[in-house]
Amino acid sequence: MARAQGARSLMAAAYETSYGTSPVGGYMQMPFASTSLGAEQPLLGSELLGYGRDPLAPIKDAVTADGDVVVPIDAEAFGFWLKAAFGDPVTTGTGPYTHVFTSGNWTLPSISIETAMPEVPRYAMYSGCVLDQLSWQMQRSGLLTATAKLIAQGEAIATSTAAGTPTGWALQRFGHFNGSIKRNGTALGNIVSADIQYANNLDRIETIRSDGRIDGADPSIAALTGKMDVRFADQVLMTQAMNGTPAELEFAYNLGTGEALTFTAHAVYLPRPRIEIQGPQGVQASFDWQAAYDATAGQMCTVTLVNDIATY
């Protein structure tokens, strides 16, 4: 008998026209490293007395559908997740194309995602998926991936696919080697690692329904936060932290073939960190930064993706 194996798993996704209604076509085959996307429905133990010491049967509680998807940061498919995080981009060019995503949009698209285990067979369709958080880490080596945290409306299980034959992406991954960090347009040295997290801070609309599902997930005040671990070699970041002034941080990846991804936080504020000498090795400082709205740029952050995809 065939058993489920992660190596055989598949994922397909498509944007929805109407929240919670899975489209009949237009699915893309999504590259992914792992996923915890799923639905759960806990049981509520009986509180009733008068029936002896043995409890009565439990009842079902509301359905919760959510989870994470770990995806590669690449030149094409990652734009799908950027649209989920920020909304529709402004696209220019005739090939290569430049897609510009900006924070602050009140309307976010919803997605239907199907995870498949063909050998069982088990095909789980998650409708009404809205992206809550997108995060990743920059470092010197290793595989470059991002984590997309999703809130879904519900799950439907079938023994055959509802995604048809998905269209694939031309996978061109960025690597840590392709990364760079700039502060106010100047390369920032001595960075050991950097964490970036963008959050839409979704508000679940938990109305009373016979199926136990939510009615939607609305974005509230967004947040862009992160952490930089720095070898303490100069006073640039410390001076900024003590003065309380913002600076622009740019996190970028570039391939030699022209594909590029640039994530710009326009007004980043730094806290004053504790500088500790813990031994004979180099001294490091950690800055837990926060970004805010920048009046000159007109938004908190801008993401620019350059590739050969005409539209998302």
Side-chain angles (χ1 to χ4, degrees):
M1 183 180 74
R3 294 177 175 83
Q5 291 183 309
R8 300 180 183 179
S9 300
L10 303 170
M11 177 180 289
Y15 293 111
E16 298 174 347
T17 302
S18 178
Y19 175 80
T21 302
S22 298
V24 295
Y27 286 85
M28 302 295 296
Q29 191 73 47
M30 303 302 298
F32 74 107
S34 65
T35 179
S36 63
L37 188 61
E40 59 183 359
Q41 188 173 23
L43 297 175
L44 297 176
S46 175
E47 84 286 17
L48 299 179
L49 306 176
Y51 294 89
R53 290 187 60 234
D54 294 334
L56 297 179
I59 62 172
K60 294 182 178 180
D61 200 3
V63 177
T64 300
D66 55 22
D68 299 341
V69 181
V70 178
V71 300
I73 297 183
D74 73 309
E76 292 190 3
F78 195 61
F80 184 95
W81 301 108
L82 290 175
K83 178 178 176 178
F86 297 99
D88 291 323
V90 174
T91 300
T92 58
T94 57
Y97 301 91
T98 299
H99 311 277
V100 178
F101 304 84
T102 57
S103 59
N105 290 323
W106 285 103
T107 302
L108 299 177
S110 61
I111 309 169
S112 285
I113 299 176
E114 183 184 78
T115 58
M117 303 176 191
E119 69 279 6
V120 175
R122 183 184 189 271
Y123 295 84
M125 179 67 77
Y126 301 95
S127 56
C129 295
V130 184
L131 195 144
D132 189 23
Q133 294 180 6
L134 186 65
S135 61
W136 72 94
Q137 183 181 68
M138 297 184 74
Q139 55 190 19
R140 184 174 182 272
S141 63
L143 295 172
L144 178 58
T145 59
T147 300
K149 182 177 178 61
L150 301 163
I151 293 177
Q153 184 185 44
E155 175 190 65
I157 306 297
T159 57
S160 60
T161 181
T165 303
T167 303
W169 302 93
L171 187 61
Q172 292 179 286
R173 296 186 69 170
F174 295 107
H176 288 293
F177 178 76
N178 308 118
S180 63
I181 302 176
K182 292 182 179 180
R183 177 186 178 274
N184 289 338
T186 302
L188 191 59
N190 302 307
I191 304 297
V192 177
S193 65
D195 297 325
I196 303 100
Q197 181 184 88
Y198 179 80
N200 283 311
N201 291 319
L202 298 179
D203 180 25
R204 298 174 190 252
I205 305 175
E206 297 179 325
T207 57
I208 299 173
R209 295 171 52 124
S210 60
D211 58 8
R213 298 183 174 187
I214 62 174
D215 257 351
D218 290 343
S220 59
I221 300 299
L224 176 57
T225 58
K227 180 180 179 181
M228 289 190 298
D229 291 327
V230 183
R231 296 281 281 192
F232 196 65
D234 56 50
Q235 295 275 21
V236 173
L237 296 180
M238 181 60 74
T239 300
Q240 178 188 336
M242 295 178 66
N243 292 340
T245 54
E248 182 180 88
L249 289 182
E250 177 187 287
F251 308 93
Y253 301 94
N254 290 275
L255 296 179
T257 50
E259 293 80 7
L261 172 65
T262 304
F263 190 102
T264 304
H266 297 289
V268 172
Y269 294 82
L270 302 177
R272 180 173 177 174
R274 183 192 302 270
I275 306 297
E276 299 181 355
I277 304 174
Q278 298 182 339
Q281 289 81 19
V283 176
Q284 290 190 187
S286 295
F287 295 86
D288 294 309
W289 55 269
Q290 300 180 30
Y293 173 81
D294 181 76
T296 302
Q299 62 265 348
M300 177 171 62
C301 65
T302 302
V303 185
T304 303
L305 180 63
V306 179
N307 57 26
D308 291 327
I309 302 299
T311 183
Y312 281 100

